[in-house]
Amino acid sequence: MESVSGDELPSGLIRLDSADRIVDANAVVVEWLGVDVSDIVGLPFDEVVRSAEPTDLLASDYTTGLSEVSHIDGSRRPVFLKQGTPDAAGRLVIVFDASAQRAFREQLLHRHGLVERTQKRLELVIAASIAFSETTSEAQLAEVLATTTSQAYAAEESAVFLLDSDMRFQQIAGTNPFSTIGDVDLTARATWLHSVVKISGVAEAHAVAPAVGAAFENAGVQSMIIAPIRQRNEPMGLLAAFFRHPRQFDEQASPLADALAGQAARALAALRLQERLEHAAMHDDTTGLPNRRLLEERMDESSRTTGTALGVLFIDLDGFKAVNDQLGHSVGDEILREVAARLKETIRVQDIVARYGGDEFVIVCEVAGESAALEMAERVRARISAPYAILPPRLRIGASIGVSVRPNESASFATDQLVRAADQAMYRAKYAGGDRIARASVI
């Protein structure tokens, strides 16, 4: 390159004529192109050095004005240009290798995109936290979690699975693309893991397990992310997001899944604690039956079929004090639990049975009339009076039962009055020797 003594320079030099056609180029340019200099002489400059697609994002000296030169093998090299001062013969253009600048720009754009995604995800996490706190049931919470997970990852489908009391997974919310092809195990039920599981691509799914890879292919799933829902190392369930398009997960994908699963776990634990507290407030600790408070609420809410009557059976155990005195309260509690079980076996699904206090139980039932209520009372008396395996022969349990019935024509007779009437009838049965039934007079 006689007109430009620059073959030893690390940058490219190109001499252009007044029509911007290439007159000459140094060895660096020739090496970048993989051709002889004679192959480019006479070509328009913009055919050899093409302007790259401009960007308005993150404009700086490092990210704008990049162009490209193409090697004969098809590879491309990013460059940026320094234009010389035009003269009568044309002008000189200095061409600098911009590979480092392009890499920096791409990294900068990636970081910028990551910051934007992180901000959006943080907003989703905050919104989810508020939504979780407002849920009143596990199903509602699971729906919020499934929806938020789909939004956070732009996933086509998501699902939430919770463990039931038998430690079996139940899908509570969302959609599971594997549901129609059998149990896929969701990578060894990620609940038992302590970290998020990410699978990108069918090949990676096959590497995890052949069954998982086959499920990906059969369901048309390309990628998946799963996070265990745990509270203080107690497994509660898992959330999963499914993608039907190729998806690579960035470094924020796992922390985001952990954050959503963690928030859901805390909200779920709070709901279950509230349920336990409410259950304890309305149920007897020893027998698990509804207590007096819940019985009264249910009686007030009960509605009867036309032509039927409301019956109350007030039950007091005979011989229970002797069991407590001679064998202790632990055996007494076992007897109470056995009585509760026998009562639940004797009554119908629509009937109400409660522990009223001490060794007293109340049954509220819908009956055709007083005779039907008395028949039910006899079945209850016989069932309670049957032998108990844990009691010695000298001790036996019986039942004194008072029965009151409110027919339709006495609908104004309050339910608490009905219970009191049955209670008084029970005392008559008790004073008459026990292990018998007495009916109350209800007007």
Side-chain angles (χ1 to χ4, degrees):
M1 181 174 182
E2 297 179 355
S3 57
V4 178
S5 301
D7 285 346
E8 302 302 321
L9 295 176
S11 57
L13 296 176
I14 299 178
R15 165 68 69 179
L16 304 177
D17 61 17
S18 58
D20 276 351
R21 295 182 177 275
I22 297 176
V23 175
D24 204 353
N26 70 348
V28 173
V29 172
V30 170
E31 178 185 352
W32 288 348
L33 297 175
V35 297
D36 293 330
V37 67
S38 60
D39 293 328
I40 61 173
V41 170
L43 294 178
F45 177 74
D46 57 9
E47 285 188 14
V48 177
V49 181
R50 294 181 175 85
S51 296
E53 206 173 310
T55 177
D56 295 328
L57 185 62
L58 302 173
S60 74
D61 292 341
Y62 297 99
T63 61
T64 59
L66 294 187
S67 300
E68 286 182 342
V69 295
S70 298
H71 194 275
I72 194 172
D73 63 7
S75 61
R76 296 180 180 182
R77 181 186 301 269
V79 296
F80 61 92
L81 311 175
K82 178 67 176 177
Q83 304 286 349
T85 304
D87 55 25
R91 60 191 173 93
L92 185 67
V93 179
I94 307 174
V95 186
F96 297 94
D97 187 345
S99 297
Q101 286 78 5
R102 162 106 17 119
F104 173 77
R105 182 184 73 175
E106 290 175 351
Q107 184 181 30
L108 203 60
L109 290 172
H110 172 73
R111 291 294 179 184
H112 182 78
L114 184 59
V115 168
E116 285 190 336
R117 290 195 298 274
T118 301
Q119 182 177 354
K120 291 179 180 178
R121 289 169 176 174
L122 180 59
E123 292 172 354
L124 273 172
V125 169
I126 293 173
S129 177
I130 296 171
F132 288 151
S133 67
E134 295 175 347
T135 58
T136 57
S137 69
E138 293 188 12
Q140 187 181 11
L141 186 150
E143 287 291 348
V144 172
L145 179 57
T147 300
T148 302
T149 300
S150 290
Q151 293 174 345
Y153 293 101
E156 284 86 357
E157 295 176 81
S158 65
V160 175
F161 304 83
L162 295 180
L163 286 166
D164 61 19
S165 58
D166 295 322
M167 300 302 286
R168 294 175 302 187
F169 279 89
Q170 302 292 338
Q171 182 179 334
I172 306 300
T175 57
N176 175 15
F178 300 145
S179 61
T180 59
I181 54 177
D183 185 15
V184 183
D185 192 31
L186 292 180
T187 66
R189 296 298 193 189
T191 295
W192 310 115
L193 306 178
H194 292 272
S195 60
V196 176
V197 176
K198 296 175 290 187
I199 301 177
S200 296
V202 176
E204 189 173 325
H206 277 288
V208 171
V212 176
F216 267 52
E217 292 179 345
N218 293 333
V221 172
Q222 294 291 319
S223 300
M224 178 172 67
I225 184 168
I226 310 169
I229 302 173
R230 308 176 68 91
Q231 177 73 352
R232 295 187 181 91
N233 290 325
E234 177 188 353
M236 304 174 80
L238 62 86
L239 65 86
F242 308 94
F243 305 85
R244 296 188 181 276
H245 62 275
R247 170 68 188 266
Q248 297 296 322
F249 299 100
D250 59 39
E251 56 265 41
Q252 292 298 319
S254 292
L256 173 61
D258 273 334
L260 289 174
Q263 284 189 341
R266 288 188 290 274
L268 186 58
L271 276 176
R272 290 179 175 177
L273 175 60
Q274 181 65 26
E275 289 174 0
R276 288 195 295 272
L277 292 174
E278 291 176 356
H279 185 274
M282 293 291 192
H283 290 77
D284 171 52
D285 287 340
T286 303
T287 64
L289 291 178
N291 58 18
R292 180 174 178 174
R293 177 181 173 187
L294 183 55
L295 173 69
E296 292 171 349
E297 283 192 9
R298 289 185 175 176
M299 287 180 67
D300 290 338
E301 295 170 357
S302 64
S303 59
R304 302 198 311 279
T305 305
T306 302
T308 62
L310 185 65
V312 172
L313 280 59
F314 203 108
I315 306 159
D316 184 87
L317 301 183
D318 300 323
F320 182 73
K321 185 177 185 302
V323 171
N324 266 343
D325 292 343
Q326 297 181 37
L327 302 181
H329 289 281
S330 61
V331 176
D333 287 346
E334 284 298 320
I335 293 297
L336 291 174
R337 283 189 281 271
E338 177 64 20
V339 168
R342 293 184 183 191
L343 290 175
K344 287 191 289 187
E345 292 170 359
T346 306
I347 67 172
R348 301 162 301 183
V349 174
Q350 66 269 31
D351 299 331
I352 305 170
V353 59
R355 184 183 177 192
Y356 206 67
D359 59 351
E360 296 175 335
F361 297 83
V362 171
I363 295 174
V364 178
C365 53
E366 183 179 329
V367 292
E370 185 179 73
S371 60
L374 292 171
E375 289 174 5
M376 177 178 282
E378 177 55 31
R379 290 196 300 272
V380 169
R381 187 205 61 77
R383 188 73 180 92
I384 292 176
S385 299
Y388 293 79
I390 63 173
L391 293 183
R394 71 179 186 277
L395 296 175
R396 63 179 299 274
I397 296 295
S400 296
I401 306 176
V403 178
S404 62
V405 177
R406 183 183 68 188
N408 276 344
E409 56 267 22
S410 301
S412 61
F413 195 84
T415 53
D416 60 337
Q417 291 177 279
L418 204 61
V419 172
R420 284 198 298 272
D423 185 14
Q424 293 167 3
M426 179 274 295
Y427 277 108
R428 291 199 302 274
K430 178 78 71 176
Y431 293 146
D435 196 23
R436 66 192 61 205
I437 300 166
R439 59 180 290 275
S441 296
V442 177
I443 299 176

